[in-house]
Amino acid sequence: MDEQEHGPLAGFTVGVTAARRADELIALLRRRGAAVVHGPALRIVPLADDTELLAATKELIAHAPDVVVATTAIGFRGWVEAADGWGHGEELLAVLREVELLARGPKVKGAVRAAGLTESWSPSSESMAEVLDRLLAEGVTGKRVALQLHGEPLPGFVEALTAGGAEVVVVPVYRWMPPEDTGPLDRLLDATLARTLDAVTFTSAPAAVSLFSRAEERGVRAELVAALRHDVLAVCVGPVTALPLQAEGIDTYQPERFRLGPLVQLLCKELPSRSRVLPVAGHRVEVRGHAVLVDGRLRPVPPAGMALLGLLARRPGWVVSRADLLRALPGAGRDEHAVETAMARLRTALGTPKLIQTVVKRGYRLALDPAADDKYDTL
């Protein structure tokens, strides 16, 4: 089986914190071979039940703003549809026809026009910074500006408008709350702490905040930060999403284009580049998260076997004692026979028993090719 058949993410496990569009992201990851742990960090308040959105809508109908900023296509459509369901659809559209309506980018512009409205202006860059620059250049002193949000606040946007003299009315479309069932999120958190995840993906800043909050409730916040700083890759869809992680001193990775496809492409590049590749007994061995590629062939390995192989790979060519290997085994206790059992299963899983040598009365070593000995003896 070659790289094309098993996918660039085969052997890696990726955590997904998303609620909205999670199915799309999970499908993209699995299509490229990844195993996925899904723990939604948020839930979306149904629009029909959202009393805050209803109140904001009534407020704008009663006291029309000067400017309305539409930030997302799905959020704008949802707002108009929710207002229609509450019996206020026509009143809202009548207000929106009379105001300066700014649409952030082509998708939002399409949603505005689908509602029978015409935007006053839209940036080609899809940048909220450009929208803010235009508003401040026009002057917002004494103006009421309605800002349609989509789940998360826009850092600095409201503050800049307020400082410029505007009255800002926030329209909270698709508000996010902590999940009602924390079981899946706890499983994702546990997998992160155990380092059985190779990466965790974040598609919104509130999802990152929610994960940290849950870790705080369980008394493991410091351990979560340590895992994401040193062992588990934190991959974000964009710079705004990355802010809560960066505030914890965690290095984040994000694609140049803030979309799910480029996010997955970034993982396809970053995770394999971090794999340990060794020439062992005439074979090319690549150690991944929960599997090994032997000469490009995917070999799934049980967790205990991966723990042993990980330690052997960190000391390539060196003899590792049974006592050290026992300490690396999850929940093995004190019986060194557990090492022998796990080692036998590991050799079977690898399909090439000679990759790992038994050194009598001392332990085990990877059978590193002689030409590579000099390179790794200096480690």
Side-chain angles (χ1 to χ4, degrees):
M1 182 183 290
D2 61 22
E3 181 81 4
Q4 298 302 316
E5 291 176 329
H6 58 62
L9 293 179
F12 294 112
T13 306
V14 179
V16 172
T17 59
R20 191 175 74 85
R21 298 183 68 191
D23 290 346
E24 182 182 346
L25 177 55
I26 291 168
L28 287 170
L29 291 166
R30 286 180 174 158
R31 203 174 299 149
R32 286 155 182 81
V36 177
V37 175
H38 183 208
L42 303 164
R43 63 183 170 90
I44 297 172
V45 177
L47 287 175
D49 301 338
D50 197 332
T51 53
E52 282 191 32
L53 179 60
L54 175 58
T57 302
K58 286 181 174 179
E59 162 69 13
L60 292 177
I61 290 170
H63 306 286
D66 301 291
V67 183
V68 173
V69 181
T71 63
T72 63
I74 188 171
F76 187 80
R77 281 197 303 271
W79 181 23
V80 172
E81 288 168 7
D84 198 46
W86 294 321
H88 298 299
E90 284 305 318
E91 295 168 283
L92 177 60
L93 291 175
V95 168
L96 294 176
R97 286 191 188 98
E98 299 301 320
V99 303
E100 182 182 358
L101 182 55
L102 306 184
R104 182 194 64 87
K107 288 185 179 179
V108 189
K109 186 160 60 174
V112 166
R113 294 186 180 181
L117 303 167
T118 305
E119 75 287 349
S120 307
W121 177 80
S122 176
S124 56
S125 65
E126 300 188 49
S127 165
M128 285 302 290
E130 195 174 338
V131 175
L132 179 60
D133 288 344
R134 179 184 173 91
L135 284 168
L136 295 177
E138 286 181 345
V140 293
T141 304
K143 288 187 177 180
R144 290 184 85 228
V145 180
L147 178 62
Q148 171 253 309
L149 293 178
H150 184 80
E152 59 187 286
L154 299 164
F157 198 95
V158 174
E159 292 85 347
L161 289 176
T162 304
E167 177 193 349
V168 182
V169 180
V170 173
V171 182
V173 182
Y174 290 106
R175 282 190 302 120
W176 289 333
M177 304 283 283
E180 288 180 313
D181 176 10
T182 59
L185 183 60
D186 282 339
R187 285 190 287 275
L188 184 145
L189 181 54
D190 290 340
T192 305
L193 298 178
R195 276 69 166 176
T196 54
L197 295 184
D198 299 290
V200 180
T201 60
F202 298 91
T203 55
S204 73
V209 171
S210 180
L211 180 63
F212 286 127
S213 296
R214 182 60 185 160
E216 182 85 48
E217 289 171 10
R218 292 182 51 191
V220 293
R221 186 185 183 104
E223 291 89 334
L224 173 63
V225 170
L228 293 172
R229 279 181 183 170
H230 303 296
D231 302 299
V232 182
L233 210 63
V235 182
C236 303
V237 77
V240 173
T241 298
L243 290 174
L245 293 147
Q246 291 170 353
E248 298 287 343
I250 296 164
D251 289 332
T252 60
Y253 297 79
Q254 56 254 359
E256 291 182 8
R257 293 177 58 245
F258 310 144
R259 298 281 186 274
L260 295 185
L263 181 148
V264 173
Q265 289 168 8
L266 178 65
L267 281 166
C268 290
K269 174 186 171 187
E270 285 292 333
L271 287 180
S273 74
R274 291 160 182 269
S275 299
R276 186 174 285 268
V277 181
L278 298 167
V280 183
H283 300 275
R284 181 184 186 275
V285 175
E286 180 179 342
V287 183
R288 294 190 166 189
H290 64 263
V292 179
L293 296 183
V294 180
D295 297 328
R297 190 174 187 84
L298 186 69
R299 297 285 185 177
V301 175
M306 285 306 303
L308 296 183
L309 185 58
L311 184 53
L312 291 171
R314 284 195 290 277
R315 305 178 191 173
W318 291 69
V319 178
V320 181
S321 70
R322 283 181 172 80
D324 284 349
L325 289 166
L326 181 63
R327 280 191 288 272
L329 276 181
R334 298 180 180 179
D335 186 358
E336 288 190 1
H337 288 297
V339 174
E340 294 173 16
T341 302
M343 191 62 73
R345 290 174 180 164
L346 170 59
R347 283 171 162 156
T348 300
L350 293 174
T352 312
K354 292 181 180 179
L355 295 178
I356 301 172
Q357 296 175 338
T358 302
V359 182
V360 179
K361 296 185 179 179
R362 291 181 61 201
Y364 300 88
R365 70 186 286 271
L366 280 183
L368 201 68
D369 289 344
D373 279 343
D374 291 343
K375 175 183 174 184
Y376 290 99
D377 278 350
T378 59
L379 291 182

